Amino acid sequence: MRKSIKTMVGIRVAAALASVLLFSVMITINIIRVDRTQERSAQASSLLERALSAEVAHYKWSSNLSNALYAGREFTGSIDPTTCVLGQWLYGDAGIEDQTVEALRSQLEPLHKELHQSATYVLDLLETSPMSAQAYYQDTILSNLSTLVGLLDQVVEQGNDLNDAAQQQMQTTIKIMHATSIVGLSLALLCLLSLVQYVLRQVVAPILTITRSSAP
């Protein structure tokens, strides 16, 4: 009888510990998922910020070059394609692992390099043939800029999609965390109640009965 009681109590204790352990594991897994989702969301937001900043910066660059060609002002923009916001991203860490973004970076790199280097050519041409320089600016540089901005718009669109996917994944993970928390706690509570009930019925109750029977 003692062995049977010991076995039954051990089973209930093991079940309670297993349910608590399962609850802890599921919570840990969901926390890791939340951290990864937050990281992806932050990467997508950073990608959006870089792409939008690059668009604004290159519109300003083009305006600066236009003032130099048409108004005789000094060109203060960058000729080096690695120093601007977009260049630092193209020649540095992408900041996010995504095949679409990598493909867009591959298309942007040569176009961006050509755009910056064309400033040297058009400014040299300005000294000998202002009309040819202005025509080159209108036909080539603005065309390349339009293509560049179009690719950056695709980066922005992909960044929005990645950000939306990360937010959706976050909501799903939170729902799963709530569900596993309820299930895990319920299992643990049921196991503990079963243990207490068994001990009271099979151990405490017989002891009380024997105590009353042996009382004078």
Side-chain angles (χ1 to χ4, degrees):
M1 185 64 180
R2 293 180 179 177
K3 184 177 180 181
S4 178
I5 292 176
K6 181 180 179 181
T7 301
M8 296 302 294
V9 170
I11 291 173
R12 283 165 171 76
V13 171
L17 292 176
S19 61
V20 172
L21 179 61
L22 177 62
F23 169 72
S24 301
V25 171
M26 293 303 298
I27 289 297
T28 302
I29 292 174
N30 286 321
I31 289 175
I32 293 174
R33 288 178 178 174
V34 169
D35 289 339
R36 290 178 179 176
T37 304
Q38 287 179 338
E39 183 179 357
R40 287 195 295 269
S41 179
Q43 291 173 349
S45 298
S46 178
L47 177 66
L48 285 171
E49 182 179 355
R50 286 183 176 184
L52 293 173
S53 298
E55 288 187 2
V56 173
H58 284 81
Y59 276 127
K60 290 181 178 179
W61 181 90
S62 176
S63 177
N64 193 336
L65 184 58
S66 176
N67 289 333
L69 296 174
Y70 291 94
R73 297 181 183 178
E74 181 184 0
F75 176 67
T76 58
S78 173
I79 299 176
D80 186 355
T82 64
T83 57
C84 66
V85 176
L86 181 57
Q88 293 174 0
W89 179 61
L90 290 175
Y91 297 101
D93 185 12
I96 190 169
E97 295 182 1
D98 183 75
Q99 293 182 353
T100 302
V101 174
E102 288 296 333
L104 289 171
R105 287 182 76 197
S106 299
Q107 297 178 56
L108 281 165
E109 192 274 329
L111 182 63
H112 177 251
K113 183 178 180 180
E114 179 183 353
L115 183 67
H116 276 271
Q117 291 179 346
S118 64
T120 302
Y121 172 78
V122 77
L123 290 174
D124 291 339
L125 186 61
L126 179 65
E127 297 179 359
T128 57
S129 179
M131 293 185 63
S132 297
Q134 293 170 1
Y136 182 83
Y137 172 80
Q138 293 290 336
D139 298 336
T140 303
I141 293 180
L142 289 184
S143 176
N144 288 339
L145 177 63
S146 177
T147 305
L148 181 78
V149 172
L151 292 173
L152 286 173
D153 286 338
Q154 295 182 43
V155 174
V156 171
E157 183 178 356
Q158 182 65 12
N160 283 323
D161 291 342
L162 292 173
N163 195 24
D164 292 341
Q167 295 298 326
Q168 183 64 35
Q169 181 64 34
M170 176 71 73
Q171 295 178 2
T172 302
T173 303
I174 292 175
K175 291 179 181 179
I176 294 174
M177 182 180 292
H178 288 164
T180 53
S181 298
I182 294 173
V183 173
L185 289 175
S186 298
L187 287 175
L189 182 60
L190 288 174
C191 291
L192 291 174
L193 289 175
S194 176
L195 174 62
V196 171
Q197 184 181 11
Y198 182 82
V199 170
L200 289 175
R201 187 175 64 252
Q202 300 295 332
V203 179
V204 176
I207 292 175
L208 293 177
T209 301
I210 293 173
T211 303
R212 295 192 192 98
S213 300
S214 62

